[in-house]
């Protein structure tokens, strides 16, 4: 691989009080973070001052878990937190340059809803919106949408493939210059610059047009999270950022080469997809301080919460096994296949018991855990970036606000000193700052007149 001439991309992945499963219990964390707007304003401004490319909000449309004891002891299972697009609309008003990315599932949404909401956010933020396209992995979500059972994995991805095409088609409902707003002629928009989608497919029938002008970025940046075979194929065709989880350099470089290598088959430039795996950094001014900080968080894990988190990610009931038993073989899940595979890989590779595995994943949930000094963490990120194992990283602070403050004030200056990360934003839109092209309108001057409704 040639030496890199580009710079690292960084996302700030904001879980309410931090990513560690016990973060809310730590005295430095904001315990009510999930519904504290002032808290989010503060950390969004911190991330923008540090020149992060984007802030990222995950989402689920169900409380994840049935064990009430475990649920009542955690803050990271979509219990007690804002809906992300509403929150990002608020944060758009108190930031100027940082990207605003939120998750919206293709399983329990309709394309028109998603297209309209993210187009609106792109206008509100003057071109900083991104959509994290996911297929819902949690079967409990089905129960909130008049379904008794979850859609099968293959069906979810087939739906997602068509879903994203419909959304992008709706974003192209109008040419960029369609809205002339000419008072003298009385013409609000040029009817020759309107395109009727008229989509008919296996999963969706969507007439269009969208009732929001074309977004400032043309299309909000499309993000995808997932590492299954179906997920990689979808990302290679449609995504501009992919969030993923690899814990070793070998796995990271293999994933990077695999996904980038698929893009030519879709007529895409590999530079137009930024691979940004999750990284969970615990930073200390000395190595001992970093280890102590990590230990403090690990001591706060309630065993009920640790085991429940493992069962959620593994997609299996482990109640028949004691904590000191080796992790058993697990039945195939219709939930998140790549995350279940990651859990099993960790367990088999290191011979972990159930307790050892839930302690291992309590912070990063299978993402890359880094505990060390600013220089040590910068070294690790630098190595993976230069080896073409990543184009950047989605930083997962262990606690908030403190974990983000530590990374912003200690690690980012070290990355900047090495010339790996920007000292100022390159542009005003998320696309400009990521170095991504603005999509051209796909239907120039060939509008279809909208027929009268029947």
């Amino acid at each position: 691989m040639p030496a890199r001439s580009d710079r690292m991309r960084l996302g700030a992945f904001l879980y309410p009080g931090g990513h560690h499963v016990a973060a809310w219990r730590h005295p430095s964390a904001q315990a009510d973070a999930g519904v504290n707007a002032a808290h989010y304003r503060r950390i969004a401004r911190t991330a923008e001052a540090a020149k992060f490319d984007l802030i990222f909000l995950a989402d689920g449309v169900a409380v994840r878990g049935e064990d009430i004891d475990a649920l009542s002891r955690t803050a990271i299972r979509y219990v007690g937190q804002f809906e992300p697009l509403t929150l990002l609309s608020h944060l758009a008003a108190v930031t100027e340059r940082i990207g605003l990315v939120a998750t919206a599932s293709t399983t329990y949404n309709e394309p028109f809803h998603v297209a309209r909401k993210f187009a609106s956010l792109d206008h509100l933020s003057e071109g900083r919106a991104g959509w994290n396209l996911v297929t819902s992995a949690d079967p409990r979500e089905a129960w909130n949408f008049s379904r008794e059972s979850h859609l099968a994995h293959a069906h979810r991805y087939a739906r997602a493939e068509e879903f994203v095409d419909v959304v992008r088609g709706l974003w192209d409902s109008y040419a960029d210059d369609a809205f002339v707003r000419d008072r003298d002629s009385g013409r609000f928009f040029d009817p020759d610059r309107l395109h009727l989608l008229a989509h008919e497919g296996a999963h969706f029938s969507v007439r269009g047009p969208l009732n929001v002008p074309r977004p400032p970025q043309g299309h909000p940046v499309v993000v995808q999270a997932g590492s299954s075979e179906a997920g990689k194929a979808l990302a290679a065709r449609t995504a501009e950022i992919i969030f993923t989880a690899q814990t070793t350099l070998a796995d990271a470089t293999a994933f990077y080469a695999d996904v980038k290598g698929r893009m030519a088959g879709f007529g895409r430039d590999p530079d137009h997809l930024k691979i940004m795996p999750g990284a969970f950094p615990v930073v200390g001014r000395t190595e001992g301080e970093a280890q102590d900080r990590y230990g403090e968080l690990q001591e706060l894990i309630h065993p009920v919460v640790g085991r429940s988190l493992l069962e959620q990610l593994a997609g299996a009931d482990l109640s028949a096994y004691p904590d000191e038993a080796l992790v058993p073989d697990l039945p195939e899940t219709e939930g998140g296949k790549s995350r279940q595979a990651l859990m099993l890989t960790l367990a088999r590779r290191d011979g972990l018991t159930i307790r050892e595995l839930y302690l291992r994943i309590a912070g990063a949930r299978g993402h890359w855990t880094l505990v060390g000094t600013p220089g040590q963490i910068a070294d690790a990120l630098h190595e993976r970036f230069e080896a073409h194992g990543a184009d950047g990283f989605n930083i997962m602070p262990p606690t908030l606000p403190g974990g983000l403050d530590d990374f912003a004030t200690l690690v980012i200056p070290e990355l900047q000193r090495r010339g790996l990360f920007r000292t100022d934003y390159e542009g005003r839109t998320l696309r400009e700052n990521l170095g991504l092209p603005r999509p051209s309108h796909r239907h120039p001057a060939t509008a279809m007149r909208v027929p009268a409704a029947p």
Side-chain angles (χ1 to χ4, degrees):
M1 282 282 190
R4 301 197 72 139
S5 59
D6 57 337
R7 287 181 173 170
M8 192 179 291
R9 311 297 175 181
L10 292 178
F13 186 172
L14 305 181
Y15 254 36
H19 278 268
H20 195 278
V21 73
W24 74 272
R25 299 183 66 191
H26 195 274
S28 71
Q30 184 73 39
D32 68 345
V35 289
N36 187 317
H39 165 75
Y40 277 106
R41 291 194 297 270
R42 178 181 186 268
I43 57 180
R45 287 166 172 154
T46 296
E48 185 168 64
K51 313 305 178 186
F52 276 84
D53 289 84
L54 57 94
I55 56 179
F56 169 66
L57 301 177
D59 192 36
V61 287
V63 171
R64 289 191 173 170
E66 296 299 304
D67 184 335
I68 298 301
D69 188 24
L71 283 173
S72 70
R73 297 177 182 275
T74 184
I76 67 165
R77 304 283 284 279
Y78 302 109
V79 177
Q81 62 194 76
F82 291 125
E83 187 281 319
L85 273 166
T86 307
L87 177 57
L88 288 185
S89 297
H90 174 68
L91 297 180
V94 298
T95 56
E96 295 181 353
R97 306 290 281 278
I98 196 165
L100 305 167
V101 179
T103 297
S105 169
T106 60
T107 309
Y108 298 112
N109 276 295
E110 289 292 321
F112 195 94
H113 289 138
V114 167
R116 188 184 190 201
K117 290 174 182 178
F118 281 94
S120 297
L121 179 61
D122 208 46
H123 282 282
L124 285 169
S125 64
E126 299 180 309
R128 295 185 284 134
W131 167 36
N132 180 40
L133 180 167
V134 301
T135 68
S136 290
D138 192 328
R140 296 170 189 85
E141 296 188 15
W143 305 337
N144 293 331
F145 293 89
S146 304
R147 292 186 58 88
E148 293 183 1
S149 61
H150 198 35
L151 296 177
H153 187 271
H155 188 176
R156 297 200 306 272
Y157 271 94
R159 177 183 165 97
E161 291 274 1
E162 186 178 340
F163 193 112
V164 68
D165 291 340
V166 175
V167 168
R168 293 195 298 192
L170 288 168
W171 284 334
D172 283 341
S173 291
Y174 303 92
D176 290 310
D177 58 356
F179 285 81
V180 293
R181 301 181 180 92
D182 187 334
R183 290 186 174 92
D184 292 337
S185 69
R187 184 73 73 183
F188 188 65
F189 73 87
D190 181 349
D192 291 330
R193 309 299 281 163
L194 168 66
H195 172 74
L196 186 66
L197 183 62
H199 174 88
E200 294 288 345
H203 300 276
F204 303 106
S205 174
V206 182
R207 177 176 176 271
L210 195 65
N211 54 358
V212 180
R214 195 163 193 255
Q217 294 185 100
H219 298 170
V221 172
V222 176
V223 183
Q224 208 242 312
S227 303
S228 67
E229 282 301 307
K232 288 187 286 189
L234 180 62
R237 186 174 77 85
T238 67
E240 295 165 296
I241 300 174
I242 184 168
F243 295 150
T244 181
Q246 287 86 40
T247 58
T248 69
L249 179 60
D251 288 344
T253 55
F255 179 87
Y256 187 98
D258 182 0
V259 175
K260 296 267 187 170
R262 299 176 189 226
M263 295 179 69
F266 298 106
R268 298 188 63 203
D269 184 332
D271 287 340
H272 295 169
L273 172 62
K274 308 302 180 185
I275 296 179
M276 297 173 63
F280 173 87
V282 182
V283 189
R285 287 177 172 77
T286 66
E287 188 173 355
E289 181 182 61
Q291 292 292 346
D292 287 346
R293 288 181 173 183
Y294 184 57
E296 287 174 7
L297 285 166
Q298 293 293 89
E299 287 294 323
L300 294 174
I301 300 169
H302 194 286
V304 168
V305 173
R307 176 181 275 267
S308 177
L309 176 65
L310 176 57
E311 291 183 341
Q312 175 209 329
L313 295 176
D317 179 2
L318 300 174
S319 59
Y321 302 92
D323 276 7
E324 302 312 316
L326 292 174
V327 177
D329 291 332
L330 300 176
E332 186 174 0
T333 179
E334 285 295 347
K337 291 183 181 294
S338 60
R339 193 51 53 91
Q340 184 192 61
L342 183 59
M343 296 298 102
L344 285 172
T345 298
L346 288 173
R348 298 291 178 267
R349 186 186 68 200
D350 298 337
L352 301 179
T353 65
I354 288 173
R355 181 176 185 276
E356 288 168 337
L357 183 55
Y358 75 61
L359 289 174
R360 179 79 63 88
I361 66 169
R365 301 183 305 285
H367 290 275
W368 190 24
T369 297
L370 298 164
V371 182
T373 65
Q376 289 171 331
I377 289 174
D379 285 343
L381 298 177
H382 190 176
E383 177 187 36
R384 193 160 291 194
F385 177 70
E386 288 290 349
H388 295 268
D391 295 309
F393 302 92
N394 209 17
I395 300 303
M396 304 165 63
T399 61
L400 285 170
L404 183 63
D405 292 341
D406 290 340
F407 192 88
T409 60
L410 298 174
V411 179
I412 282 185
E414 180 63 21
L415 295 174
Q416 291 169 330
R417 185 185 66 78
R418 302 179 188 203
L420 291 169
F421 189 63
R422 69 167 62 88
T423 55
D424 201 1
Y425 288 106
E426 294 83 1
R428 298 203 66 84
T429 72
L430 178 55
R431 287 186 176 278
E432 289 169 338
N433 291 323
L434 289 169
L436 295 172
R438 185 181 188 275
S440 59
H441 186 263
R442 292 181 292 174
H443 309 285
T446 58
M448 296 173 61
R449 298 301 177 103
V450 180

